[in-house]
Amino acid sequence: MSKTKLLQGNDACAEGALYAGCRFFAGYPITPSTEVAEFMSKELPKVGGHFIQMEDEIAAMGAVIGGSLAGAKSLTATSGPGFSLKQESLGYAMLTEVPCVVLNVMRGGPSTGVPTGPGQSDIMQCKWGTHGDHPVICLTPGYVQEIFDETIRAFNLSEKYRTPVIIAYDEIVGHMRERVEIPDAGVIPVIDRTKPPKGLDKYLPYDDTKGDVPPMANFFEGYRYHVTGLNHAPDGFPVNASPRIQTDEERLIRKVDGNRKDICKNETYKLEDAEIAIFAYGSTARGAKDAIDAARAEGIKVGLFRPLTIWPFPDEAVAEVAKKVKTIIVPELSLGQIILEVQRVSAGQCKIEGIFRVDGDPIYPAQILAKIKEVK
Amino acid sequence: MAFDYNQFIRAGKLPHIWCPGCTYGIVFKSIIRSLDAIKQNKDDLAVVSGIGCASRLPGYLDANTLHTAHGRALTFATGIKMVRPEKRVIALSGDGDATAIGGNHFIHACRRNIDITVLVLNNFIYGMTGGQHSPTTPKGHIATTMPYGNIDPNFDIPKLAIGAGASFVARGTAYHVPALDKLLIEAINHKGLSVVEIVNACPTTHGRRNKFKNPTDQLLWMKDTFLPAAAFEKLPPEKTEGKLPMGVLYKKEDATEYCENYDAMAQGVRQKIEGRA
Ligand SMILES: Cc1ncc(C[n+]2csc(CCOP(=O)(O)OP(=O)(O)O)c2C)c(N)n1
Ligand code: SF4
């Protein structure tokens, strides 16, 4: 029997993590993400998992990678300033291909910014926050039920592709309470990392001869291998100045980019006959739906494109939209970040208009409706 | 029969990156002898390091090994230990790694008294980046970022560890090798967080700039400077000037260990739930 609960977004994330088999959480408190840590600290001991509040976000990110290597599906949750602190080790997890999930509940910034207000201005940090060339998977749920579902998907993607997965949603959906259905265990499929067969003479943790995602052994399971943040050979040991560095980094990007069909997910709303499209995610997409209904009532043909996977960016799907509409409106809780991607992929085929807001308030449907009327 | 180091060395991963005269090789062999002495099963051992010359050691050691980010060894090690508390975890750092960039993690790992053996290979300098001063560089010593002589006050690593709550704290040197073997065995066997400062020489970026003409001069300096703790304590203050104690400096047997505390708490929670059911 599935359970129905009234949950806050952050609690739904924690519920989703537990459903997906997360058994380790390391974190450091920061508004507006802290409820996730609080929930996990309460629930993990009950299910044989472990919770630890570390001394800072840098430590939390390191612990999560260690926990995952030791065999536990691992989660950390944070917001703007804490997300910045996690970046070095987030890149480490990308290069070393350690699955884990990092939640960033977005607030205003830069710096301490607006701790209790919503923001979407970390969306580029999600993509480019760490150094070097690397793949990123980032999910952007906008409803509490969706946070539950997408958290499970985040763990599944991270295990399947052996890579960290970021979940980014704004404070509004993080703190909003909605009805959530939690199915019985097993109803939603849960993916675990593929392990190498037992008894190999030699286990190569980064062997790409059989595919872009090499099987991953956990520590203490008999294959004593080496993990390093240095560029490495298939056996995990450092290599310097070798063509292998380039082919390996290209593989990392390919294992995400080459599987866009599996990773990318989006929703459209009344977009089929639209002349104006709205590109929005998270709380702004919710406001956009109301504005669309109001505009449609006045006979304006407008629809929504809502990405649930924002990285990799839905290039082809947005390019299709750009071909069909006159204008794409991009409401954002930033001074213009994701609009740059919309501009890039629409390549001049339609007009692009932004609605930017960073004063700690949401973008209201009325604001979006006014813009729709303006561009009509 | 000669001691078989190969049982703990990864075939084909030598030669190591360390300079001639670097004492990290001495420490490496001491670690291997101590693992052999306690009959450590390699599959049940994780060795975690940060970044620096010292932190390259795990790459040569046949175990589950993790070379992390600068200063972060203890954070990764904490995650591993929390998830698999029954396994042996050793964290290894340079002085810069452990007490500068990783200083916060160092004191907090000590405070938790989590069962990790922390080896701080103190060569008084940043070796890998070419001899910049570290939190342990002696006053007046030349470093590439202290060209006029170091003015930075420095840490006494064992005192720092004791102050922060580690339940086993010791100091050894790359000169006093049999004593170091003994210390490592005791530290690894200790339940709780154990810190061993291991005094090392970096002839390449520290020694030669500071009047140690050759690597042996630095070893002889260790010989003259470090006295067994018991002998050190008996000396009148005027005789301890410029000397430091080595050996086990602090040991608390009854300190409770972090993972055990967690698991006891978790068990209590589960029993309560079962009782209600
Ligand atoms: C975040 C970060 N900052 C700086 C560095 C550069 N770095 C590499 S090794 C090192 C110092 C190492 O000194 P120590 O820990 O004392 O070890 P040693 O090399 O002397 O053994 C520094 C500063 C880095 N890798 N990462
Ligand atoms: S630079 Fe110094 S610490 Fe590094 S290997 Fe050479 S001698 Fe050893």
Side-chain angles (χ1 to χ4, degrees):
Chain A
M1 268 297 287
S2 70
K3 281 177 288 186
T4 304
K5 290 187 180 177
L6 180 70
L7 287 182
Q8 184 192 96
N10 284 340
D11 292 345
C13 174
E15 285 275 15
L18 291 172
Y19 191 98
C22 171
R23 289 297 177 268
F24 183 57
F25 182 100
Y28 192 78
I30 183 168
T31 305
S33 76
T34 308
E35 293 84 4
V36 183
E38 290 169 352
F39 195 106
M40 294 304 264
S41 71
K42 196 165 163 214
E43 295 306 316
L44 277 172
K46 297 183 189 167
V47 295
H50 291 89
F51 167 92
I52 187 167
Q53 180 172 314
M54 295 296 285
E55 53 274 15
D56 58 28
E57 287 84 352
I58 300 174
M61 192 65 219
V64 155
I65 298 171
S68 178
L69 274 166
K73 290 187 184 178
S74 302
L75 171 72
T76 187
T78 191
S79 298
F83 192 54
S84 297
L85 290 180
K86 289 186 192 296
Q87 292 295 342
E88 185 196 19
S89 289
L90 187 56
Y92 182 96
M94 289 163 182
L95 184 77
T96 55
E97 302 178 67
V98 178
C100 55
V101 176
V102 178
L103 169 68
N104 177 12
V105 187
M106 291 186 286
R107 59 193 230 176
S111 190
T112 309
V114 191
T116 53
Q120 294 179 323
S121 52
D122 296 346
I123 206 67
M124 285 295 175
Q125 192 189 185
C126 291
K127 171 91 176 111
W128 296 118
T130 194
H131 52 289
D133 297 293
H134 53 77
V136 170
I137 299 176
C138 176
L139 313 184
T140 48
Y143 295 80
V144 179
Q145 176 75 52
E146 216 169 62
I147 291 176
F148 174 81
D149 296 336
E150 288 297 284
T151 302
I152 299 169
R153 194 165 77 95
F155 274 98
N156 284 348
L157 291 172
S158 85
E159 294 283 319
K160 184 171 180 185
Y161 294 108
R162 243 189 110 172
T163 191
V165 172
I166 300 166
I167 304 172
Y169 53 72
D170 52 78
E171 181 273 340
I172 296 173
V173 281
H175 282 157
M176 171 179 283
R177 280 173 201 275
E178 287 177 322
R179 186 173 168 276
V180 177
E181 209 164 300
I182 301 172
D184 287 340
V187 173
I188 302 177
V190 163
I191 296 174
D192 296 328
R193 61 194 65 168
T194 305
K195 296 217 190 136
K198 287 209 169 90
L200 292 177
D201 283 345
K202 198 174 166 61
Y203 165 60
L204 297 174
Y206 304 102
D207 178 16
D208 56 354
T209 52
K210 294 208 183 71
D212 287 344
V213 188
M216 177 179 168
N218 295 329
F219 274 9
F220 311 117
E221 288 180 351
Y223 291 122
R224 300 180 302 272
Y225 64 106
H226 187 53
V227 180
T228 176
L230 290 161
N231 283 95
H232 40 257
D235 64 1
F237 289 89
V239 284
N240 263 328
S242 142
R244 163 79 192 182
I245 295 170
Q246 176 143 347
T247 55
D248 205 45
E249 287 209 11
E250 284 170 355
R251 173 180 65 81
L252 293 187
I253 290 171
R254 192 170 60 237
K255 76 179 180 176
V256 173
D257 252 25
N259 290 293
R260 281 164 165 269
K261 278 217 172 71
D262 185 38
I263 296 167
C264 287
K265 186 174 168 188
N266 46 57
E267 186 203 70
T268 59
Y269 179 67
K270 301 187 178 175
L271 194 63
E272 297 73 29
D273 62 341
E275 288 162 7
I276 300 168
I278 297 173
F279 179 100
Y281 65 95
S283 71
T284 55
R286 301 175 66 119
K289 280 191 185 172
D290 282 358
I292 287 164
D293 290 344
R296 288 255 171 198
E298 294 183 31
I300 307 171
K301 289 183 174 170
V302 50
L304 174 72
F305 183 97
R306 185 169 77 95
L308 288 163
T309 308
I310 204 148
W311 304 118
F313 195 75
D315 284 25
E316 296 83 1
V318 174
E320 278 303 306
V321 176
K323 244 188 253 168
K324 289 190 190 140
V325 299
K326 281 195 308 205
T327 307
I328 300 179
I329 298 171
V330 186
E332 262 192 271
L333 292 168
S334 84
L335 291 179
Q337 292 198 16
I338 208 66
I339 193 172
L340 298 171
E341 289 294 295
V342 179
Q343 280 165 347
R344 177 179 65 79
V345 301
S346 48
Q349 301 201 73
C350 67
K351 274 204 279 186
I352 315 277
E353 294 272 341
I355 304 171
F356 306 135
R357 182 159 200 176
V358 290
D359 62 357
D361 264 353
I363 295 179
Y364 296 114
Q367 241 183 308
I368 302 174
L369 182 62
K371 192 69 165 182
I372 293 169
K373 287 183 175 168
E374 185 191 310
V375 304
K376 176 176 68 127
Chain B
M1 206 180 80
F3 186 86
D4 176 22
Y5 289 98
N6 285 323
Q7 55 172 325
F8 274 100
I9 291 180
R10 279 185 163 128
K13 293 304 164 196
L14 294 177
H16 54 68
I17 64 151
W18 299 314
C19 309
C22 181
T23 51
Y24 288 163
I26 296 173
V27 176
F28 183 40
K29 289 173 93 173
S30 183
I31 292 172
I32 291 178
R33 286 189 301 271
S34 59
L35 292 174
D36 175 78
I38 62 165
K39 303 208 161 28
Q40 178 62 48
N41 179 332
K42 297 189 280 188
D43 284 327
D44 297 333
L45 170 68
V47 183
V48 188
S49 66
I51 295 289
C53 300
S55 290
R56 287 301 189 92
L57 192 150
Y60 312 120
L61 194 69
D62 189 11
N64 302 283
T65 55
L66 187 51
H67 178 227
T68 70
H70 192 34
R72 314 302 171 206
L74 278 166
T75 71
F76 287 69
T78 300
I80 294 172
K81 188 71 190 178
M82 281 293 283
V83 168
R84 299 300 298 272
E86 73 283 10
K87 302 296 179 187
R88 183 94 70 196
V89 181
I90 297 178
L92 188 145
S93 281
D95 44 300
D97 201 56
T99 66
I101 190 164
N104 197 32
H105 311 311
F106 182 76
I107 58 176
H108 287 279
C110 291
R111 168 177 67 86
R112 290 187 193 105
N113 195 36
I114 187 165
D115 184 26
I116 296 172
T117 308
V118 186
L119 309 180
V120 185
L121 276 59
N122 181 9
N123 60 5
F124 305 98
I125 207 83
Y126 285 17
M128 184 157 269
T129 41
Q132 299 79 18
H133 68 284
S134 96
T136 59
T137 304
K139 268 236 161 78
H141 277 216
I142 303 291
T144 52
T145 45
M146 279 291 177
Y148 309 112
N150 182 32
I151 61 158
D152 259 25
N154 47 41
F155 279 137
D156 179 317
I157 293 171
K159 282 186 185 159
L160 181 65
I162 296 166
S167 56
F168 179 99
V169 180
R171 178 188 276 136
T173 89
Y175 175 83
H176 304 87
V177 173
L180 181 61
D181 287 13
K182 253 184 74 197
L183 280 185
L184 292 181
I185 293 167
E186 205 176 334
I188 295 170
N189 275 332
H190 176 77
K191 182 101 197 163
L193 190 119
S194 45
V195 174
V196 186
E197 178 192 11
I198 308 173
V199 174
N200 274 279
C202 170
T204 304
T205 77
H206 176 235
R208 69 188 168 84
R209 291 199 179 94
N210 288 287
K211 303 200 178 97
F212 295 108
K213 278 211 191 82
N214 56 52
T216 41
D217 290 350
Q218 273 176 298
L219 285 165
L220 292 174
W221 169 80
M222 289 176 206
K223 174 179 177 241
D224 294 339
T225 305
F226 295 90
L227 303 175
F232 181 89
E233 270 156 31
K234 286 197 197 104
L235 288 177
E238 63 275 12
K239 291 241 167 104
T240 57
E241 184 69 24
K243 311 261 183 225
L244 285 165
M246 63 175 192
V248 179
L249 304 177
Y250 180 78
K251 190 168 181 172
K252 189 166 170 19
E253 298 281 6
D254 58 350
T256 58
E257 194 272 330
Y258 191 78
C259 297
E260 287 185 348
N261 290 345
Y262 187 93
D263 287 338
M265 175 269 288
Q267 218 175 351
V269 171
R270 288 195 292 269
Q271 272 165 3
K272 236 186 193 165
I273 295 170
E274 278 157 27
R276 261 189 266 128

